[in-house]
Amino acid sequence: MIRIDLTLAEQPFSLMVSGQKIVQVFHAQQAITFDNPRENYFQFTYDNKVIGIDTAAVEEQSISLFVDDQFATQLTLPAPTNGSPKKGFLGLAALGFKLFKSAKVIKVVLAGASVAGYAWLFSIEFALMLIGCLVVHEYGHVRAMKYFGIKTKGIYLIPFVGGLAVSDDKITTRWQDVVISLMGPAFGLITSVLGVVLYYATEMEIFAGVAVLSALLNLFNLLPILPLDGGHVLKSISFSMRSWIGLSVCLLGVLFGLWLSYIFGLMLLVFFLFVGALEIVFEWRGRHYSHLMPLDKYGQGFSAVMYAIVVAGHVAVMMHFADSENPILSLPMTILSS
């Protein structure tokens, strides 16, 4: 995928092009709608004029511009450069993981290992509830990816770690990163609310357990720590301001995570923090080559509000059972208030 910057009527436009197909069109960092009336021809309306773009010659480093269906000019595109940053260890690890997960049987093996592991540590009932919550969470990510036209390879359950929604394509905007990251906890919130409703409808505590477990898992995922979902929201907002602000805020998130790890003895979180720190480093090194369209001020504020609403929803579910006589149901709120 390449990014093409244009100036039309003294206004900046950006095109995200994959092969001979235009994926997205931006004006002043805002995505605008466009049509594809015929093959290799795309058009959108600006200032009461229909702007047409013919991408048939993209491979020859050229595109044709039309205004109101009349040929306007032929643009020569700059040759692609090799200035992209090195992927480093994480890039090689991601490549190795893609090769590893090529067979569908891997999904079944990992899911079976997850159920067996959690059942061995706790109980089969708890294992099934936990797997259900993880699958719904990851399905939220998958649905958001499909909404943006990003190809997915499905959901993978990692024993004693959680789940992973894997995509084939890269995101192109910070807004996509925010929405994809938040849709997992948002679907988890639906699970929590449904658990509360079923609990009062049937008076079966297993549904209350699902509600509380889902809320706890998703609230943990919303911590502003990379590579958790909350960390991705934080990164997208902060790196949309200025690179040095993004670096500073994300490093504060790492320090916050280390403090949590020390207070609660969460050694696994230290591993996550190490991976997240590497992601911050690569993000900083690649800031001059990033193809991601940043959030404007409205997008930054709206993303923060969405994040706060999802967090508040999960906290509300946990608070609802804070006074329960069942110690399992009241445990999450006890942890939060400690």
Side-chain angles (χ1 to χ4, degrees), residues 274-285:
F274 173 73
V275 175
L278 290 178
E279 185 172 347
I280 294 170
V281 171
F282 289 127
E283 185 81 21
W284 171 256
R285 289 179 57 190

Side-chain angles (χ1 to χ4, degrees), residues 1 58 121 128 150 198 204 225 248 328 330:
M1 183 176 295
V58 163
L121 281 179
L128 293 176
I150 299 173
L198 291 176
M204 297 175 62
I225 302 168
S248 302
I328 300 300
S330 60

Side-chain angles (χ1 to χ4, degrees), residues 78-317:
T81 63
N82 295 323
S84 58
K86 297 180 180 179
K87 292 178 183 282
F89 173 78
L90 281 186
L92 294 176
L95 177 61
F97 183 73
K98 283 188 176 181
L99 295 175
F100 173 76
K101 68 179 179 57
S102 58
K104 291 185 178 180
V105 69
I106 297 299
K107 292 183 180 180
V108 179
V109 172
L110 289 175
S114 296
V115 173
Y118 297 132
W120 175 68
L121 281 179
F122 305 102
S123 67
I124 185 63
E125 293 83 1
F126 179 87
L128 293 176
M129 285 194 303
L130 180 59
I131 294 300
C133 293
L134 290 174
V135 169
V136 171
H137 175 99
E138 298 304 331
Y139 180 71
H141 293 314
V142 170
R143 288 302 303 170
M145 292 176 189
K146 290 183 177 180
Y147 173 80
F148 288 116
I150 299 173
K151 296 180 180 179
T152 64
K153 287 192 174 181
I155 299 170
Y156 292 81
L157 297 173
I158 313 300
F160 307 113
V161 174
L164 184 65
V166 181
S167 66
D168 265 343
D169 300 330
K170 293 182 178 179
I171 61 174
T172 56
T173 67
R174 298 285 185 190
W175 172 245
Q176 290 178 350
D177 195 18
V178 169
V179 174
I180 292 172
S181 298
L182 283 179
M183 282 303 287
F187 269 60
L189 182 57
I190 295 174
T191 302
S192 298
V193 173
L194 182 60
V196 174
V197 172
L198 291 176
Y199 168 68
Y200 283 107
T202 64
E203 297 184 355
M204 297 175 62
E205 283 195 342
I206 188 170
F207 292 119
V210 169
V212 172
L213 180 61
S214 175
L216 181 61
L217 287 175
N218 285 280
L219 196 60
F220 174 79
N221 231 292
L222 286 167
L223 288 174
I225 302 168
L226 283 168
L228 301 178
D229 293 333
H232 277 277
V233 176
L234 176 71
K235 182 183 71 172
S236 292
I237 294 175
S238 56
F239 269 92
S240 293
M241 299 173 184
R242 288 183 177 85
S243 295
W244 65 269
I245 294 179
L247 177 66
S248 302
V249 173
C250 289
L251 288 178
L252 286 175
V254 172
L255 294 177
F256 173 66
L258 290 173
W259 177 78
L260 283 181
S261 303
Y262 174 77
I263 294 297
F264 295 103
L266 303 175
M267 294 307 298
L268 183 60
L269 185 57
V270 176
F271 169 75
F272 284 134
L273 289 170
F274 173 73
V275 175
L278 290 178
E279 185 172 347
I280 294 170
V281 171
F282 289 127
E283 185 81 21
W284 171 256
R285 289 179 57 190
R287 64 193 184 279
H288 298 307
Y289 310 98
S290 178
H291 65 284
L292 299 178
M293 294 295 294
L295 297 165
D296 57 16
K297 290 185 178 180
Y298 171 79
Q300 295 165 21
F302 189 72
S303 299
V305 171
M306 288 173 55
Y307 173 82
I309 290 174
V310 178
V311 169
H314 286 295
V315 172
V317 171

